[in-house]
Amino acid sequence: MQAFVKNIAEENQYKATHLLRILHAIQAHYHYIPKPAIEQLASLLNIARTQIIGVIEFYSFFHLSPRGRYELLISDSITDHLLGKHALTDYLAIKLNVAVGEVRTDGLVSLDNTSCTGLCDQGPAGLVNGYALPHLDHARIDQISELINQQTPVALWPSQLFQVDDHIIKPGLLLNHPLTPGEALQSTFKRGLVATLAELDTSALRGRGGAGFKTASKWQYCRDEPENQRYVVCNADEGEPGTFKDRVLLNSYAQQVIEGMTVCAAIIGAQQGFLYLRGEYLFLYDKLQQVLVERRQQGLLGNNILNSGLDFDIDICLGAGAYICGEESALIESLEGKMGIPRNRPPYPVTQGYLGKPTVVNNVETFLAAAAIAHLGGDWFASIGTGQSKGTKILSISGDCAKPGIYEYAFGTPIETILNDCGAEELLGVQIGGPSGLFISDLELQRKLAFEDLATGGSFIIFNKHRNLLDIVNNFTRFFAHESCGFCTPCRVGTSLLKNQLAKIIDGHGSAGDVVALEELCVLVKNYSHCGLGQTAANPIISTLARFPELYQSRLKNISYEPGFDLDASLENARQLANRNDAAAHLTQVEQD
Amino acid sequence: MKTKIRIATTSLGGCFGCHMSLLDLDERLIPLAELIEFDRSPLTDIEHCTNCDIGLIEGGVCNSENVHVLREFRKNCKILVAVGACAITGGLPAMRNFIPLEECLAESYLRGIGVENAQIPNDLELPLLLDKVRPLHEVVKVDYFLPGCPPSAEVFWTFLNDLIAGREPSLPYECVHYD
Ligand SMILES: Cc1cc2nc3c(=O)[nH]c(=O)nc-3n(C[C@H](O)[C@H](O)[C@H](O)COP(=O)(O)O)c2cc1C
Ligand code: SF4
Ligand code: SF4
């Protein structure tokens, strides 16, 4: 083991910023991070042992105790639930003789849940040793169990098991006209950097990752910082359940995304870029590396790009299963090899980002659009859309509809049009923007896709009338409790309290005051959390309480109060230990007169 | 004479620190005594609650007897108040929530230093322990929470005076600011 760890540390130049890559390699090899490896890394990288343990504990894909040699994770996204994930997981557990959350006694296989894997249009989905497994069904599970029991290396599994489809159903302005590699850079150099930034300004492009900050301003601020080192970061963490458009863009439009990053580098004066790829998209890693290699060969990356004098290259960094790392400052922390805990903002990344230097962080789709604008100009883009939302938005549509997949619409399109196109019937409502967004009911279909009405990072999850709304809200609320990074109390404790209080009501232990208590909790978590995760974690409850209060009320008991847990059952252990079963050894759930 | 506000107090899984802090009102106890009288409380030795205006409870819910006492308070007190960190969150005793009950009892009664005739106590008189220590509001409805470990005398003073005067109680920032 010593030689193995030494080797990996050496390949990574003993850099502490490369801790995640190093841990990925060790985890892949040993299926956990052994204690001696931690000790050794601490001295090789010259960082505290506790810091390494902190990082391992922070990320879901690193473990301090062994997982199976075949580590199976099943996506726990609501979209996978709709597609029958529960029954399939049970089947898998029986087939492989391993309980969810456990490692089989022979150490061969482990099974667990994981947050949304971004395969919502082709679920139920899972991961085996990090590689995506779409379209799980009984036949595939039989096949997978067979492969595991025969100990076939994952690399030799039939490729059809890993076949992830794009499902581009409705391409638009951007998806219909991919650029030829180099086009945007040539136009940029020809027009001039300042003039190209002006085109970006004219286009009024706003960030596609959710917050919608104006991209030209972000680049301008970064460019204006009096520093000589700057960075470009592409945010491909795509962790919001129900979002998968960045996966498709990186699979089929990677050239253009990387070209967008390179244009940005030219304009702001950066020499180094990073593409932060969520760990769940490991299957794209080699392919993206190949794109980088090709671009270097074509003179579109590396030294003196297109003879312009620009030196710029890109590194791909893999995340490790943490939704919070999509938040830009947490992402930067993660890039630096640390736990993904959001920084205080300001200072914003444009002034102090990676290693304290000015850094532009943009979404995958933002870079895709920026490249097109650099080539075709700002007016071309700004000619469609609405007053405050120009151009198009690429949507990831999943859930109860005939044609889940990727759709591109001009801003301003009514929700009804979108639902008709994808074949949504008997509608209950749509979750727009993922769990952190908004649930709209079937009465709001005239509302529009736009920052000024329904803003979204691109997640559209459709639910029909046969779905139980409270189960959906429960899934979302549990997601946030699981993904809270734990840094600040209102979110760390608050998201768990939300989860428990909601469960109390759903399980039928609620009474009059409990919905009010839930509402108060929502306000607290929303208003006092440190970052966007906590600030939006109560949204599923808030937006459904506003629309369907009767659903919550119908679960309440007509008494003044009841505990949210089984009081008598919580005495069971003590009864056993004291060997008692007399009347005084029991409690009623509510007080009897 | 005006009828006095009737107050009951008790300690469940608490250390009596909250009660001591109430006594820290010192000379202010005298004017307070003009306005209130105690019902069931360690200060009076009255065994059971009668109708009260206010119930003050320190400590979390650790065992079945705590549940009964808490219910008696809820039934008899118009306003029920969770006093101190233990009543509000479970507090220090709730640190056992992360250890299985079996191990806790074994550590004290089977393996403890100097234990003779080791056995888990099973006398019928003894209340059984809950699996987990619970804050009051997970077992009954609680009307107010007085934070602190313990809440300072100032907190009791402000809170009780507000209630007695018929105002919605409100604690100034200094009363709930701890660092
Ligand atoms: C909890 C959380 C998760 C986020 N996840 C992502 C993500 O997966 N992808 C993304 O582009 N932006 C995400 N963001 C937004 C980023 O912080 C940032 O605003 C964005 O990357 C900026 O790029 P843009 O201006 O191109 O949208 C997230 C924000 C929060 C608070
Ligand atoms: S709000 Fe949640 S995710 Fe954000 S810093 Fe606080 S604990 Fe972490
Ligand atoms: S809150 Fe503090 S003072 Fe009050 S009972 Fe608990 S430990 Fe004792």
Side-chain angles (χ1 to χ4, degrees), chain A residues 560-561 563-565 567 569-571 573-575 577-578 580 582 584-591 593, chain B residues 64 67-68 71-72 75 101-102 105 120-124 126 128-131 134 137-141:
Chain A
S560 90
Y561 189 90
F565 62 100
L567 253 179
S570 65
L571 286 178
N573 273 333
R575 274 194 296 267
L577 292 167
R580 283 179 55 181
D582 51 297
H586 288 275
L587 280 170
T588 53
Q589 184 68 6
V590 284
E591 185 172 13
D593 286 317
Chain B
S64 57
V67 174
H68 294 306
R71 282 176 172 171
E72 178 179 317
K75 200 162 150 188
L101 187 60
E102 197 170 1
L105 290 173
I120 304 279
N122 63 357
D123 195 294
L124 295 184
L126 293 175
L128 292 177
L129 293 179
L130 296 174
D131 256 5
R134 300 279 181 166
H137 67 272
E138 288 187 5
V139 181
V140 298
K141 181 173 184 309

Side-chain angles (χ1 to χ4, degrees), chain A residues 368-400:
Chain A
L368 179 90
I373 293 162
H375 182 50
L376 297 166
D379 287 331
W380 161 79
F381 193 78
S383 67
I384 63 170
T386 66
Q388 284 163 54
S389 320
K390 297 300 182 193
T392 58
K393 182 78 195 86
I394 301 176
L395 302 178
S396 321
I397 300 188
S398 63
D400 296 317

